[in-house]
Amino acid sequence: MFQFNYKLKVAERVKAKCERHPRYNPEREGRGGIKGGCSTCFSLFDLHQARLSLDAAHREFLRRATPWSQLRQPRNRTSAPKQKDPPFGSQPL
Ligand SMILES: [Zn+2]
């Protein structure tokens, strides 16, 4: 019988802002909010997109893994106060 184990663990803390456009927020303003084709702001936007993709991948992983998961409460629920709207219209698990 084929069997495999996955353990998913992601923890990165990033604080980034553009020196020239410190008020630019990729989450709120998106790509259209980038002034003058600023490469730093584009990097921030790409970083935000990567974050969204990572979140989506994480949700997908959990969705598919849940039926196979061993019943054990995840301990990483201690630092989850920021409840933002999921951008892809997915339901909470
Ligand atoms: Zn900028």
Side-chain angles (χ1 to χ4, degrees):
M1 174 186 168
F2 179 64
Q3 191 176 6
F4 61 93
N5 291 308
Y6 280 136
K7 185 174 181 180
L8 183 65
K9 195 173 187 179
V10 177
E12 289 293 334
R13 182 175 294 259
V14 174
K15 195 170 184 177
K17 74 173 179 181
C18 179
E19 296 272 310
R20 278 182 285 169
H21 312 101
R23 302 191 64 169
Y24 173 65
N25 182 334
E27 192 173 13
R28 272 200 310 253
E29 301 165 52
R31 188 187 287 269
I34 297 174
K35 294 189 177 78
C38 175
S39 61
T40 306
C41 287
F42 266 111
S43 292
L44 295 180
F45 178 78
D46 289 342
L47 176 64
H48 176 61
Q49 292 299 302
R51 167 69 207 277
L52 294 180
S53 299
L54 184 61
D55 281 351
H58 185 201
R59 278 195 301 272
E60 178 69 4
F61 180 87
L62 290 179
R63 190 177 72 81
R64 293 189 179 275
T66 298
W68 307 94
S69 295
Q70 294 167 2
L71 286 178
R72 192 171 60 112
Q73 289 299 95
R75 287 185 295 162
N76 58 356
R77 295 283 164 177
T78 53
S79 61
K82 43 182 178 181
Q83 278 272 325
K84 291 182 178 172
D85 289 332
F88 298 109
S90 62
Q91 286 104 26
L93 295 167

